[in-house]
């Protein structure tokens, strides 16, 4: 891992268009600002990992699970007017 | 892609099968940006999102309104811009879906309210929003009301 020392107000460039700026340091809390193009998603790591796992769990359900679910949604009425 | 799409839709015209273009990849699946959106059953609310270049990769999704009537995800300006939404009028082209994790038994399926899929039906651009800090659960039990 690359380790750099920065002071509040100083930044780091990642590639050509991602800028990470240290805004503020108080005790054990660091506030960081990130400027990145829209195609680059920026998330807290733990949130991203949780979502990644949820997506992996949701991907490609078994035919049986799909049948159970569509049956439940059908018999349960689903949205009003159906 | 056409095989998967036509077999699900049968007689429907293939040209009408919307291919969604994710403006950024779905977390966990960096290689897949294009997904075909189809209804699983004709009369139901269950949708399937199938990867164009990998028909084995499929997500189930439902519109949240029938199940979570109070659900109102807030879409940030950056995501709005990425989806090509420029005016308040454009907002009516948005379709919200939530990804479903199908359980093996009725009542064990959950919906991901923390990361809804937002589609601009006008240009087929899509995004999986991440509503961190919203308090919306990633696994909300999906039960017909």
């Amino acid at each position: 891992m690359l380790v750099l020392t920065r002071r509040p107000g100083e930044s780091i460039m990642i590639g050509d268009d991602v800028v990470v700026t240290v805004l503020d340091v108080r005790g054990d809390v660091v506030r960081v600002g990130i400027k990145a193009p829209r195609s680059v998603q920026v998330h807290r790591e733990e949130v991203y990992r949780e979502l990644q796992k949820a997506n992996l769990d949701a991907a490609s359900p078994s035919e049986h699970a799909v049948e159970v679910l569509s049956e439940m949604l059908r018999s349960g009425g689903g949205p009003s007017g159906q | 892609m056409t095989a998967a799409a036509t077999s699900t839709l049968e007689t429907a015209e293939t040209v009408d099968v919307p291919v969604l273009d994710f403006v950024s990849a779905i977390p966990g699946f960096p290689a897949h940006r294009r997904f075909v959106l189809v209804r699983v059953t004709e009369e139901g609310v269950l949708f399937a999102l199938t990867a164009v270049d990998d028909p084995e990769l499929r997500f189930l999704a439902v519109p949240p309104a029938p199940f979570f009537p109070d659900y109102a995800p807030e879409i940030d300006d950056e995501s709005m811009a990425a989806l090509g939404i420029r005016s308040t009028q454009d907002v009516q082209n948005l379709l919200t879906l939530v990804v479903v994790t199908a359980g093996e038994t009725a009542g064990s399926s959950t919906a991901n309210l923390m990361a809804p899929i937002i589609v601009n039906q006008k240009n087929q651009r899509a995004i999986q929003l991440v509503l961190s800090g919203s308090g919306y659960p990633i696994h909300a039990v999906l039960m017909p009301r």
Side-chain angles (χ1 to χ4, degrees):
Chain A
M1 187 193 288
L2 171 69
V3 179
L4 299 169
T5 301
R6 302 270 63 191
R7 292 192 165 81
E10 294 181 339
S11 301
I12 294 164
M13 294 287 306
I14 301 175
D16 286 330
D17 43 20
V18 178
V19 186
V20 180
T21 307
V22 177
L23 299 174
D24 183 27
V25 184
R26 271 183 212 162
D28 60 355
V29 178
V30 180
R31 288 173 69 227
V32 176
I34 296 133
K35 231 163 93 179
R38 282 178 195 137
S39 56
V40 177
Q41 287 208 47
V42 179
H43 302 296
R44 290 178 176 87
E45 185 186 10
E46 62 277 17
V47 171
Y48 183 84
R49 298 276 177 219
E50 193 189 9
L51 176 57
Q52 198 177 34
K53 187 180 178 301
N55 280 342
L56 289 165
D57 289 345
S60 306
S62 70
E63 283 305 322
H64 173 70
V66 177
E67 268 168 44
V68 169
L69 186 60
S70 30
E71 188 49 44
M72 183 192 88
L73 296 184
R74 206 171 8 225
S75 58
S80 52
Q82 295 234 350
Chain B
M1 165 237 160
T2 31
T6 47
S7 70
T8 318
L9 271 193
E10 288 168 5
T11 53
E13 303 142 59
T14 29
V15 286
D16 282 348
V17 177
V19 175
L20 305 186
D21 190 4
F22 278 80
V23 293
S24 48
I26 297 174
F29 298 90
H32 304 284
R33 293 279 180 116
R34 302 179 74 223
F35 285 81
V36 178
L37 180 66
V38 289
R39 281 180 194 274
V40 173
T41 51
E42 262 174 53
E43 77 277 32
V45 285
L46 191 60
F47 286 85
L49 273 167
T50 306
V52 167
D53 47 9
D54 181 4
E56 298 283 296
L57 176 59
R58 178 167 72 152
F59 293 96
L60 297 177
V62 294
F67 308 97
F68 310 100
D70 299 333
Y71 184 60
E74 205 170 290
I75 307 171
D76 60 289
D77 293 347
E78 283 284 289
S79 301
M80 284 287 199
L83 288 168
I85 300 292
R86 284 184 198 88
S87 66
T88 44
Q89 225 165 19
D90 288 347
V91 174
Q92 66 196 34
N93 298 322
L94 293 179
L95 167 73
T96 302
L97 294 170
V98 288
V99 177
V100 172
T101 305
E104 293 293 322
T105 55
S108 65
S109 294
T110 62
N112 182 349
L113 302 190
M114 193 198 78
I117 287 174
I118 313 290
V119 179
N120 182 352
Q121 293 174 285
K122 201 128 196 203
N123 59 14
Q124 312 302 341
R125 282 195 221 165
I127 196 167
Q128 185 172 28
L129 270 192
V130 184
L131 305 170
S132 50
S134 66
Y136 284 126
I138 206 159
H139 292 291
V141 174
L142 185 70
M143 284 296 266
R145 292 169 63 85

